[in-house]
Amino acid sequence: MNIAFFSTKSYDREFFDAADPQRRHPITYLEPRLTEQTASLAVGFPCVCGFVNDSLNAAVLETLAASGLKLLALRSAGFNHVDLLAADRLGIAVVRVPAYSPYAVAEHTVMLMLALNRHLQRAYSRVRDGNLSLEGLLGFDLRGRTIGIIGTGRIGAVVAQILSGFGCRLLASDPTVNPELTRLGASYVPLAELYAQCDIITLHSPLLPETFHLIGAAAISQMKPGVMLINTSRGGIVDTRAVIEGLKSGQVGALGIDVYEEEEGLFFQDLSERVIQDDVFARLLTFPNVIVTGHQAFFTREALSAIAQTTLANIDEFAAGQPLANQVTAAKVRRK
Ligand code: NAD
C-alpha cells in the first residue's frame, strides 16, 4: 500500500526503511505536520501514517477520505488526537501501536524524578561554571518515600517495578487492578488518599474525558505540600495553569513533564531561533524546579524499531483484508 508519511524526521526514515528492506509498502516521506493546509499532500494515497501532533480532526479526515484514504496508521499508542467518530463515519480504519517499549517511557519517568530530586540541571550548569557549592542542591532518599502511580497499565507497571527496587512505598489508582502491582506490594487507594500521602505522583493513564485536567486546582490542594508531579502520559491530564499556581505557592515542589497540553505546533521542532509565543509554556520554563522534555520519553532505539515493525504489520493486515488486531474505533473506546 502506498503510504503518505507525515511529520517525518530523520529517525523515522532510518527505522521504517530498516523495518521494510523489500519496500513492500512504498513510503513517501513528508516533512510537514498533517493539518487542514497540508492534507492535500495525501491525495491518492490509500494509507496515511501520522504521529501524535498531526491534526486528525473531522475536517482533515473528510479531506483525506475524499482523496481516497482507507487506512490511518498511527505510529503512536495515543489516539486522543483522532476524531474516531468522523473516521468511523467516513469508513477510514484507524490502527495504532498499542505497546512498543513501556521501559523507554518508564525509565524516562524515573529519570525525571531523580534529576528533579537531586537538582541535576542546576548542578550540571553550576559545576561547568566552576561553582562547586552544594547550597540549594539538597535532595531526599527515594527509599521509604511514598510514590503514587495513577494509571497502572503497561508503563505504570514498569515504573512500579523500578521504584520497588528503590525501596519506595507504592500507592496506585486505576479502575482496573493490575496484579503485577499488588505482587510488588502496591496498594490501590482512592485518589484523595493517594493525593494526601504521596511525596511523588506520576501519571500513566490515557487522556480521556474523565482524565482531562484530573490534576487541577482541587487535586493539587489535597496533595502534600511540596509534592513532586511527573507527567509522561498526555498533557491534557494536567491543568498547566493550576500547576503554575501550585509552583508559585510552593504547594507543588517540583514538576517533570514530557508532555504538554498545547504541545501541538510546539514540540518536535527547533524553535531556538524564535520567540516562544505560548506564555503558559514560557512561564513553566522560568521555574528552577521544573524540567520539561519535548515528548522524548518513547525515544529509544528499541521503541522506534518496535513502532516501525508494528505499524508495517498493521498495514500488512489491512492490505491482506485480515482482522485488524490494533484497530481503534469510537465504539471500542466507549466500551472500555
Ligand atoms: P495502558 O493502556 O497499558 O495503561 C493505561 C492505564 O490507565 C490502564 O490500566 C487503564 O485502566 C488506566 N486508566 C484509565 N482511566 C483511568 C483513570 N481515570 N484513572 C487512572 N487510571 C486510568 O497504556 P500505557 O501504554 O501504559 O500508556 C500510558 C500513557 O502513556 C498513555 O497516556 C500514553 O499515551 C502515554 N505514552 C506516552 C509516551 C511518551 O513518549 N511520553 C509514550 C507512550 C505512551
Side-chain angles (χ1 to χ4, degrees):
M1 270 183 109
N2 282 320
I3 306 168
F5 194 106
F6 280 86
S7 300
T8 306
K9 304 289 181 198
S10 60
Y11 44 84
D12 292 315
R13 263 178 200 266
E14 180 187 339
F15 283 87
F16 273 80
D17 286 349
D20 188 9
Q22 309 303 327
R23 301 286 181 273
R24 62 189 190 276
H25 299 295
I27 300 180
T28 300
Y29 291 108
L30 303 163
E31 282 181 20
R33 204 161 65 80
L34 175 56
T35 62
E36 283 171 53
Q37 287 70 44
T38 61
S40 57
L41 293 171
V43 169
F45 284 87
C47 177
V48 156
C49 183
F51 197 48
V52 290
N53 286 339
D54 285 317
S55 188
L56 290 157
N57 58 28
V60 171
L61 292 176
E62 273 158 21
T63 306
L64 294 175
S67 60
L69 183 73
K70 300 283 176 245
L71 178 68
L72 172 59
L74 300 171
R75 52 184 192 280
S76 63
F79 52 87
N80 53 283
H81 56 307
V82 182
D83 187 332
L84 289 178
L85 282 173
D88 290 357
R89 172 168 53 80
L90 295 163
I92 299 171
V94 181
V95 288
R96 66 174 182 134
V97 184
Y100 35 91
S101 169
Y103 309 102
V105 183
E107 289 169 12
H108 191 87
T109 301
V110 177
M111 183 274 294
L112 288 174
M113 288 178 195
L114 294 171
L116 283 164
N117 177 30
R118 306 305 284 267
H119 308 278
L120 187 64
Q121 72 282 37
R122 183 179 271 183
Y124 173 80
S125 44
R126 218 184 245 191
V127 171
R128 286 175 69 96
D129 202 29
N131 176 356
L132 294 149
S133 153
L134 298 184
E135 295 294 339
L137 301 184
L138 194 63
F140 54 82
D141 286 5
L142 273 175
R143 184 184 167 77
R145 292 286 174 153
T146 304
I147 319 283
I149 303 175
I150 300 181
T152 57
R154 282 171 282 249
I155 295 169
V158 179
V159 170
Q161 272 170 28
I162 298 172
L163 294 175
S164 155
F166 282 180
C168 298
R169 173 176 172 247
L170 302 176
L171 298 185
S173 171
D174 192 308
T176 311
V177 169
N178 182 341
E180 243 180 274
L181 267 91
T182 33
R183 259 200 309 279
L184 290 168
S187 309
Y188 281 83
V189 295
L191 272 180
E193 198 176 325
L194 184 148
Y195 292 153
Q197 292 196 31
C198 288
D199 302 293
I200 301 176
I201 296 174
T202 183
L203 306 174
H204 302 288
S205 64
L207 176 60
L208 302 167
E210 56 276 25
T211 57
F212 176 72
H213 282 189
L214 177 71
I215 304 301
I220 291 169
S221 69
Q222 297 171 58
M223 294 176 189
K224 267 187 158 176
V227 66
M228 181 192 291
L229 292 177
I230 305 288
N231 186 13
T232 59
S233 56
R234 281 291 176 267
I237 299 175
V238 170
D239 177 350
T240 315
R241 286 186 165 81
V243 174
I244 287 176
E245 288 312 308
L247 285 161
K248 281 160 72 179
S249 71
Q251 175 67 6
V252 176
L255 174 72
I257 56 171
D258 185 52
V259 287
Y260 170 59
E261 52 184 324
E262 301 295 337
E263 70 181 58
E264 198 182 305
L266 191 60
F267 281 19
F268 305 117
Q269 49 189 328
D270 180 0
L271 301 177
S272 58
E273 303 280 326
R274 292 193 235 159
V275 173
I276 287 183
Q277 298 298 317
D278 180 329
D279 291 346
V280 176
F281 186 71
R283 179 70 178 101
L284 271 184
L285 302 182
T286 66
F287 293 98
N289 48 349
V290 170
I291 297 183
V292 181
T293 53
H295 210 136
Q296 76 170 84
F298 74 100
F299 200 55
T300 65
R301 301 198 149 274
E302 292 76 6
L304 289 190
S305 174
I307 287 170
Q309 279 165 21
T310 304
T311 303
L312 291 164
N314 287 341
I315 296 168
D316 284 341
E317 279 177 0
F318 185 87
Q322 290 167 357
L324 302 174
N326 295 322
Q327 186 169 21
V328 271
T329 62
K332 261 196 197 172
V333 174
R334 263 199 311 274
R335 274 201 301 276
K336 279 205 163 178

